[in-house]
């Protein structure tokens, strides 16, 4: 199984223009050893400039969302450990990663979920050296209220399984998949209390390599965006009966908030 959907350690892939009608998101990489990488957004379309201002591209080949002006929420498998880290570059504010208007900020610290061992607990926070106040942040779900229905996914990952990373941000929508149905697809692998699944039984639309750590989100009761998942893993990209698996943000909302407070964000 091509479990993770990140490209940590696989940055040789070149950025290419998005294939029309294709959007793929990728899965995360573990600390050590680094796992095979997986998806971007498959079966998607190009996002408009400013449509998802909270989206972040991370230089190790993962995605993320702006949790606060100084913090990016991403996947644990995208980072190695908790501690000082000045090697990550976050790109924000542009759907085109080569746009002159893009914002680029270095990291200064990483917090990886305590107890992360490659199964569940797949979340992390990256603190930026300087705050980004010009872009909207993405609130996270604090209950399971929004953990069903239709979700949005977006990322710069591959637009097909095994494909190259994208220059332009792609977007798509995917429906909720029950724990029972998802467990049937991944017997013994799904951590139902910590993960949430989404995708079509027929396949065709999914996250893929290079999209690990990016958000899965939807509208809340006030019609504002709210994050319900973090791109984590899956069997390939957009395969039939192989939904994308995401960290269930509501499960870890209090832990994420506590970690954010400890980081000054």
């Amino acid at each position: 199984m091509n479990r993770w959907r990140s490209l940590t350690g696989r940055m040789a892939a070149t950025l290419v223009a998005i294939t029309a009608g294709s959007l793929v998101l990728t899965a995360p990489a573990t600390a050590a050893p680094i796992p095979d990488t997986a998806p971007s957004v498959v079966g998607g379309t190009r996002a408009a400039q400013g449509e998802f201002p909270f989206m972040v591209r991370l230089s190790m080949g993962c995605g993320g969302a702006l949790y606060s002006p100084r913090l990016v929420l991403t996947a644990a498998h995208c980072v190695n450990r908790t501690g000082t880290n000045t090697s990550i570059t976050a790109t924000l504010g542009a759907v085109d990663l080569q746009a002159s208007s893009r914002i680029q900020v270095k990291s200064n610290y990483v917090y990886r979920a305590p107890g992360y061992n490659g199964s569940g607990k797949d979340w992390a926070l990256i603190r930026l050296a300087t705050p980004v106040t010009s872009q909207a942040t993405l609130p996270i779900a604090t209950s399971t209220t929004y953990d069903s229905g239709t979700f949005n996914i977006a990322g710069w990952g591959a637009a097909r399984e095994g494909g190259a990373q994208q220059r332009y941000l792609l977007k798509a929508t995917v429906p909720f998949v029950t724990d029972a149905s998802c467990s049937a697809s991944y017997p013994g692998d799904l951590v139902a209390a910590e993960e949430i699944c989404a995708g079509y039984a027929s396949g065709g639309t999914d996250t893929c390599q290079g999209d690990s750590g990016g958000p899965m989100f939807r509208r809340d009761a006030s019609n504002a965006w709210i994050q319900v998942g973090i791109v984590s893993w899956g069997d390939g990209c957009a395969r039939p009966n192989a939904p994308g698996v995401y960290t269930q943000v509501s499960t870890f909302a209090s832990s994420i908030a506590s970690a954010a407070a400890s980081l000054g964000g």
Side-chain angles (χ1 to χ4, degrees), residues 20 25 33 59 87 98 109 112 120 145 155 216 223 227 265:
L25 296 177
S59 57
S87 67
Q98 297 181 20
Y109 196 87
R112 192 171 70 169
T145 301
M216 181 169 73
N223 203 38
Q227 182 171 356

Side-chain angles (χ1 to χ4, degrees), residues 30-80:
T30 54
I34 293 172
D36 285 343
T37 60
S40 139
V41 176
V42 176
T45 57
R46 192 179 297 188
Q49 176 62 34
E51 187 173 4
F52 308 123
F54 44 78
M55 290 297 302
V56 180
R57 180 65 175 171
L58 299 169
S59 57
M60 80 285 276
C62 283
L66 198 62
Y67 175 87
S68 73
R70 291 262 332 241
L71 297 174
V72 175
L73 181 62
T74 187
H77 77 254
C78 288
V79 299
N80 288 328

Side-chain angles (χ1 to χ4, degrees), residues 57-205:
R57 180 65 175 171
L58 299 169
S59 57
M60 80 285 276
C62 283
L66 198 62
Y67 175 87
S68 73
R70 291 262 332 241
L71 297 174
V72 175
L73 181 62
T74 187
H77 77 254
C78 288
V79 299
N80 288 328
R81 63 186 65 83
T82 294
T84 300
N85 186 322
T86 60
S87 67
I88 301 168
T89 299
T91 301
L92 312 88
V95 295
D96 178 359
L97 293 178
Q98 297 181 20
S100 59
S101 61
R102 71 188 185 278
I103 301 165
Q104 293 191 299
V105 184
K106 285 287 190 179
S107 63
N108 64 14
Y109 196 87
V110 166
Y111 182 99
R112 192 171 70 169
Y116 172 73
N117 64 3
S119 179
K121 298 179 178 62
D122 195 9
W123 65 270
L125 289 167
I126 296 173
R127 188 172 67 192
L128 304 177
T130 56
V132 177
T133 58
S134 61
Q135 302 301 306
T137 57
L138 180 61
I140 64 173
T142 57
S143 74
T144 59
T145 301
Y146 301 109
D147 288 354
S148 62
T150 300
F151 306 120
N152 292 71
I153 52 176
W156 288 271
R160 61 179 177 80
E161 188 171 327
Q165 298 300 281
Q166 304 299 294
R167 171 178 171 175
Y168 298 96
L169 181 67
L170 291 173
K171 64 176 182 176
T173 59
V174 286
F176 169 71
V177 173
T178 65
D179 287 346
S181 179
C182 196
S183 292
S185 295
Y186 302 116
D189 288 329
L190 182 72
V191 184
E194 302 179 359
E195 296 174 326
I196 181 172
C197 303
Y200 295 94
S202 59
T205 304

Side-chain angles (χ1 to χ4, degrees), residues 240-252:
N241 299 309
V245 182
Y246 303 78
T247 302
Q248 192 164 8
V249 171
S250 60
T251 301
F252 302 102

